Amino acid sequence: MLDTPTRDRRAERHEATRAEILEAAWELVRAEGLAALSLRELAAKVGMRAPSLYSYFDSKHAIYDAMFAEGNRALMERRAALEFTGDPGVDLKRLARLFVQFSAEDPARYQLLFQRTIPGFEPSPESYALAVRILDETRRHLAALGVRGQRALDLYTAMIAGLSAQQLANDPGGDRWLRLIDDAVDMYLEHIRSTHAVHPIPRRARVTSKEARR
Amino acid sequence: MLDTPTRDRRAERHEATRAEILEAAWELVRAEGLAALSLRELAAKVGMRAPSLYSYFDSKHAIYDAMFAEGNRALMERRAALEFTGDPGVDLKRLARLFVQFSAEDPARYQLLFQRTIPGFEPSPESYALAVRILDETRRHLAALGVRGQRALDLYTAMIAGLSAQQLANDPGGDRWLRLIDDAVDMYLEHIRSTHAVHPIPRRARVTSKEARR
DNA sequence: GTCTATATCCAGATAGAC
DNA sequence: GTCTATCTGGATATAGAC
């Protein structure tokens, strides 16, 4: 009698090739722009012909979708690795810096995740759920730091989005807007402290980074 | 002897057709996305075949370039029509509202003017000069309102860019971020008043809207 | 799984008749 | 200025042999 192997070597190899294709796709879009991705070129980069890619992805949009999910997962992991102090002034700056740096370091990824300029591409529900989860974590996190309410949250995201957009559009590779992050967060905190009450959850009851992620 | 006509009716007609083509192009990109513009479709919309467009524009990029210039001119004119009071709290809000509304009302135009996601398209020097001029006017204007220095200007533009980006990406057609403009400008003014001195130029010496445009 | 060959469709741009 | 016809090249996707 033949025992069923506990590892499926074929599936593992399939996954590895998929990952290789995605990595090549990232390199291509970083070099030539998100919209310029072509299956022929992508296949050539991994030593295949274009039709072979269809053994790994159903369509070009499926590749974009996998990249969209990867990008969001990368952001989530980077955020999970952050250490927080419970001090809004410190933590909001770390969060903001994380996001703006993440945006600035890869314009193509920024375009895919946040600008959606690929004609006809919409992320699948599963991939989109990742993006929703990130926003939800941010909401919880800011709430834990004492920043509550839709308006306060929207103002924060607008500020971060603006710093990212300007950095990418007008000083790619530089730090002209990155250097404004601390200033911007101070401005934000001054403001919401003067208009709303800001009460970080006290130390004993504070949510941990892990809990905030739920 | 034949007098030279003072009007060139042929040139006028040519200009009119050019304008008609551009108007059709705007309608197309608003309906189907900036990147989806095709010469065949555009030509059909104005009752021509694709090759005839080449009598009016040298290339597809030349059409984008003309649209880029038109968009910037529209923004410039809208700004020139604004009335200013000299009060930074009032004027900065009017400026901000103008810009965010301008962005929100036409996503395709926003993408063309501020995001540059068309592969291979770069505005011609003449068209780009318009964009530079707008930024320069903003700089002068803010200076006249007492907001000076690169950092202060960059923070302002980031805020406006962020409100626009979020409004377009997450609430197109709505006003969720538009409603935050006054709040954001107040936040900004509170901040720079507490960190830099803000001294609007006194009434007698204040630059007029026309002067600020130089 | 990968290939060749191909289907199908589209694009921007040009030549040259009228 | 506008047209037809065409060039050239690209794309995604599929069929079917190996």
Side-chain angles (χ1 to χ4, degrees):
Chain A
M1 226 197 277
L2 289 169
D3 281 334
T4 306
T6 52
R7 279 173 55 197
D8 184 339
R9 304 186 73 90
R10 185 169 297 160
E12 282 173 15
R13 191 183 168 101
H14 190 86
E15 263 318 297
T17 305
R18 249 183 84 101
E20 195 190 334
I21 291 168
L22 287 177
E23 180 47 40
W26 282 115
E27 284 170 27
L28 272 181
V29 300
R30 278 193 280 261
E32 304 181 23
L34 187 63
L37 180 65
S38 94
L39 297 188
R40 288 192 204 315
E41 210 178 355
L42 175 56
K45 208 170 159 67
V46 295
M48 288 178 182
R49 303 297 185 142
S52 305
L53 295 175
Y54 286 84
S55 298
Y56 300 95
F57 296 94
D58 288 341
S59 68
K60 186 185 181 178
H61 278 4
I63 297 178
Y64 279 132
D65 192 57
M67 295 170 80
F68 181 87
E70 262 194 358
N72 278 291
R73 239 176 272 121
L75 177 55
M76 222 150 47
E77 278 163 28
R78 190 122 23 131
R79 212 252 277 292
L82 262 195
E83 308 233 322
F84 293 106
T85 66
D87 175 351
V90 174
D91 290 358
L92 283 182
K93 278 169 196 156
R94 288 188 185 172
L95 266 176
R97 182 171 304 277
L98 173 77
F99 187 84
V100 180
Q101 265 171 351
F102 180 83
S103 300
E105 75 197 25
D106 192 336
R109 184 176 62 188
Y110 180 80
Q111 198 183 334
L112 177 63
L113 266 57
F114 307 117
Q115 300 196 141
R116 309 272 196 72
T117 53
I118 303 295
F121 169 65
E122 287 205 19
S124 62
E126 308 88 67
S127 298
Y128 190 68
L130 291 173
V132 172
R133 191 171 139 191
I134 287 177
L135 185 60
D136 199 52
E137 282 171 17
T138 303
R139 192 181 53 71
R140 286 166 193 270
H141 212 117
L142 266 67
L145 292 171
V147 176
R148 297 185 185 84
Q150 188 70 70
R151 281 177 67 92
L153 184 62
D154 285 348
L155 188 55
Y156 181 80
T157 59
M159 229 177 45
I160 307 305
L163 291 166
S164 301
Q166 289 293 85
Q167 182 57 55
L168 276 165
N170 300 312
D171 184 35
D175 67 349
R176 188 164 144 199
W177 276 271
L178 277 165
R179 280 185 284 117
L180 297 182
I181 293 175
D182 288 357
D183 205 22
V185 171
D186 284 335
M187 168 178 83
Y188 176 75
L189 280 173
E190 286 165 25
H191 181 65
I192 62 170
R193 276 178 178 136
S194 71
T195 52
H196 320 65
V198 180
H199 297 123
I201 295 174
R203 225 173 198 309
R204 262 187 306 281
R206 204 199 320 143
V207 290
T208 65
S209 165
K210 195 172 173 189
E211 284 168 338
R213 241 173 294 132
R214 275 207 215 105
Chain B
M1 224 196 281
L2 288 169
D3 281 335
T4 306
T6 52
R7 278 172 58 196
D8 184 340
R9 304 187 72 91
R10 186 169 296 161
E12 282 172 15
R13 191 184 167 100
H14 190 85
E15 262 319 296
T17 305
R18 247 182 86 101
E20 195 190 334
I21 291 167
L22 287 178
E23 181 48 40
W26 282 115
E27 284 170 26
L28 272 181
V29 300
R30 278 194 280 261
E32 304 181 23
L34 186 64
L37 180 65
S38 93
L39 297 187
R40 281 168 164 67
E41 208 178 356
L42 175 57
K45 208 169 160 66
V46 294
M48 288 179 181
R49 303 297 186 145
S52 305
L53 295 175
Y54 286 85
S55 297
Y56 300 96
F57 296 95
D58 288 341
S59 68
K60 186 185 182 179
H61 278 5
I63 297 178
Y64 279 132
D65 192 58
M67 295 171 79
F68 180 88
E70 262 194 359
N72 278 292
R73 239 176 271 122
L75 177 56
M76 222 150 49
E77 278 163 27
R78 190 116 34 125
R79 212 251 279 290
L82 262 195
E83 307 232 325
F84 294 106
T85 66
D87 175 351
V90 174
D91 290 357
L92 283 182
K93 278 169 195 156
R94 288 187 186 171
L95 266 177
R97 183 171 302 278
L98 173 78
F99 187 84
V100 180
Q101 267 171 350
F102 180 83
S103 301
E105 74 196 28
D106 193 336
R109 184 176 60 189
Y110 179 81
Q111 198 183 334
L112 177 63
L113 266 56
F114 307 117
Q115 301 197 140
R116 309 272 197 73
T117 53
I118 302 295
F121 168 65
E122 288 206 19
S124 63
E126 309 87 67
S127 298
Y128 190 68
L130 292 172
V132 171
R133 190 172 141 192
I134 287 177
L135 185 60
D136 200 52
E137 283 172 17
T138 303
R139 190 181 54 70
R140 285 166 194 270
H141 213 118
L142 266 67
L145 292 172
V147 177
R148 297 186 184 84
Q150 188 70 71
R151 283 177 65 92
L153 184 61
D154 286 349
L155 188 55
Y156 181 79
T157 59
M159 228 176 48
I160 307 305
L163 291 166
S164 302
Q166 289 293 86
Q167 182 58 53
L168 275 165
N170 299 312
D171 185 35
D175 67 348
R176 189 165 142 198
W177 277 269
L178 278 164
R179 279 184 285 116
L180 297 181
I181 293 175
D182 288 357
D183 206 22
V185 172
D186 284 334
M187 168 177 84
Y188 176 76
L189 280 173
E190 286 166 25
H191 180 66
I192 61 170
R193 277 179 178 136
S194 70
T195 53
H196 319 67
V198 179
H199 297 122
I201 294 174
R203 227 176 195 307
R204 264 186 305 280
R206 204 198 322 144
V207 289
T208 64
S209 165
K210 195 172 173 191
E211 284 167 340
R213 240 174 294 134
R214 272 205 219 106

